[in-house]
Amino acid sequence: STQSTWGFKMQATAPLTMTEQAKLEAEKMEEPPAEFKVEVVEGQQYTCENRCNLGDGKREIFSIRFDPHDKHIAAGCGDGTIRIYHIGSQKETYVLQNPGEPMPITSVRWRPHEAKGVSKNVLLSVNAAGQVQHWLSTSCKLLHTIVESTMLCCADFTPDGSMFGIGGDDKIVRLYDEVSKKQKAKLEGTINSPGHANRIFSIKFSKNDPNIVASAGWDKAVIIWDIAAQEPKTKCIGPYICGDSIDIIGNLLITGSWRTENQLEMWDMREAKPTPINIKWDNEPGVSPVKLYACQACQSNGKFLLAGGSGTNEARMYNLFQDTNVTPTLLATMKNLSRACYTVDFSNQGDICALSGGDGLIRIIDIKKQEQY
């Protein structure tokens, strides 16, 4: 077995965690890569342009999120800090620093504005030390800390902000009340319908159904949970999830797997036994195939899908039709990243997306409709 930078043992055949991938890339860096570019597919309704890059490139970034107003973007970093950038001025405006030993921030989420409570601009983070922390971003103040006895890899809020969920190394999805910060449920399955068998890397609540949350990780099964019953409703078998790479848009589940074939798939969650529909990711001859760490759908309009990973160190945007009978079409490839892409996000208005990863830069991409459409 090998020792990872998150301090846990893993088998040599296991997939690389994002911190292990970052360490490997740092050791391998030789000649400077070609300049980053956005390669747009001609004849499509939308085009993409790289507006700017945020950050100084000094630390890996494992999770990014636009704030509810799309004015700032938060970045959870490998050095244990959370850095918040003002998109308009392109400047770093706040740095949130854990008072204890710095551990990689594995997921960040802004609390939805619909949430109860006086404070706005509240950010939720989880880290490799098992800490669940709420921050008031504008004052850099740590508001609350919950400590779990397991490494945490992912977090998400319900759309109304009333509850949040977390997952990680102990294979359990925990749901918390946002106001009281008390645990409401532990989703670990039953004898007849077991839960996860390995580490959880992604969790997503449904915007359509408040009783649904999905989770996934190394055990090659996305579980769609019935929150009220606290048991699996259905499972999508096959996706190999190693980052924040599942999303729900309408009745569709989108999955991005850390493997060289059938990396990007969509599933109809209404099916009793969902079957995958492959979203083609063509690899150039002689180029290492991409393995996906990140995958997100644009929640505001449902029109776009963005995914990225290692291997080719690239991200791709697709036109998404929310119909299993219509295959998403490629809009653009964001290529020549010097290191892997670990995280992607869309603005709340849906006119901007962002990607980041091992190179420590946040690339802000404008999405524009072509004049002829």
Side-chain angles (χ1 to χ4, degrees):
S1 65
T2 57
Q3 184 77 23
S4 91
T5 51
W6 281 357
F8 61 87
K9 293 280 187 180
M10 61 180 289
Q11 298 302 311
T13 54
L16 292 174
T17 64
M18 290 183 288
T19 48
E20 289 169 332
Q21 178 77 31
K23 184 179 179 183
L24 181 68
E25 289 174 342
E27 292 168 351
K28 285 171 63 178
M29 285 297 286
E30 296 167 1
E31 58 188 70
E35 186 177 354
F36 173 77
K37 68 176 180 178
V38 180
E39 201 170 79
V40 178
V41 176
E42 297 297 327
Q44 296 293 329
Q45 189 174 359
Y46 296 92
T47 187
C48 302
E49 295 177 8
N50 185 199
R51 181 198 297 188
C52 62
N53 300 330
L54 308 178
D56 56 16
K58 293 182 178 179
R59 58 197 65 79
E60 305 97 347
I61 295 174
F62 295 131
S63 181
I64 54 173
R65 271 298 178 274
F66 286 94
D67 77 356
H69 297 296
D70 296 334
K71 290 183 178 179
H72 294 87
I73 190 166
C77 303
D79 66 356
T81 61
I82 301 168
R83 294 171 186 268
I84 300 174
Y85 299 88
H86 185 266
I87 298 169
S89 68
Q90 301 178 25
K91 293 181 179 179
E92 182 182 277
T93 50
Y94 307 106
V95 179
L96 312 182
Q97 180 73 60
N98 194 325
E101 180 186 353
M103 292 294 284
I105 304 294
T106 51
S107 185
V108 293
R109 290 291 188 273
W110 294 95
R111 185 165 72 185
H113 268 211
E114 295 81 359
K116 293 179 181 178
V118 177
S119 297
K120 302 298 180 185
N121 306 309
V122 172
L123 188 71
L124 170 71
S125 69
V126 298
N127 66 26
Q131 294 175 317
V132 186
Q133 296 180 312
H134 284 73
W135 307 82
L136 185 60
S137 63
T138 47
S139 65
C140 302
K141 183 181 179 182
L142 178 59
L143 301 175
H144 191 269
T145 300
I146 299 167
V147 181
E148 298 287 358
S149 58
T150 186
M151 183 188 74
L152 295 175
C153 303
C154 53
D156 198 32
F157 273 109
T158 54
D160 65 0
S162 64
M163 187 165 60
F164 64 88
I166 58 173
D169 202 34
D170 69 355
K171 315 164 196 173
I172 298 170
V173 174
R174 290 179 167 81
L175 305 182
Y176 280 84
D177 180 81
E178 169 59 16
V179 174
S180 69
K181 306 295 188 290
K182 302 289 186 183
Q183 185 173 288
K184 294 183 69 174
K186 282 174 67 175
L187 306 182
E188 49 190 333
T190 62
I191 294 175
N192 296 325
S193 187
H196 285 292
N198 213 323
R199 180 178 304 149
I200 299 167
F201 272 101
S202 192
I203 176 174
K204 287 290 163 64
F205 287 97
S206 168
K207 289 188 182 301
N208 280 15
D209 187 342
N211 192 46
I212 293 295
V213 64
S215 58
W218 274 352
D219 61 2
K220 300 183 181 180
V222 182
I223 300 180
I224 313 299
W225 296 92
D226 181 318
I227 295 174
Q230 296 191 28
E231 64 182 20
K233 181 179 180 181
T234 188
K235 294 182 181 181
C236 299
I237 304 299
Y240 198 22
I241 305 302
C242 298
D244 188 10
S245 61
I246 67 171
D247 209 355
I248 297 172
I249 186 81
N251 294 307
L252 280 185
L253 172 74
I254 311 290
T255 58
S257 293
W258 196 81
R259 61 190 180 204
T260 58
E261 294 180 329
N262 302 322
Q263 301 98 320
L264 196 55
E265 296 172 312
M266 57 184 186
W267 314 67
D268 188 336
M269 295 190 301
R270 294 170 295 185
E271 295 178 1
K273 293 185 177 180
T275 54
I277 297 159
N278 186 48
I279 301 171
K280 202 170 183 180
W281 195 300
D282 288 326
N283 298 299
E284 296 176 18
V287 175
S288 299
V290 73
K291 295 179 178 181
L292 296 179
Y293 279 118
C295 172
Q296 295 289 305
C298 182
Q299 294 291 339
S300 64
N301 56 33
K303 292 179 179 178
F304 307 116
L305 169 64
L306 182 62
S310 62
T312 49
N313 293 347
E314 67 179 14
R316 293 189 182 184
M317 182 181 292
Y318 293 82
N319 209 165
L320 185 63
F321 300 99
Q322 292 195 56
D323 185 343
T324 53
N325 296 314
V326 183
T327 305
T329 54
L330 181 65
L331 292 176
T333 301
M334 295 79 171
K335 59 196 304 183
N336 298 339
L337 293 166
S338 64
R339 301 186 185 180
C341 173
Y342 298 141
T343 176
V344 298
D345 194 28
F346 284 98
S347 65
N348 297 279
Q349 293 298 315
D351 57 344
I352 314 171
C353 68
L355 58 141
S356 191
D359 68 359
L361 298 174
I362 304 171
R363 304 184 189 269
I364 303 296
I365 312 291
D366 287 315
I367 306 167
K368 297 179 180 180
K369 196 168 186 177
Q370 301 275 40
E371 289 183 7
Q372 63 265 38
Y373 289 95

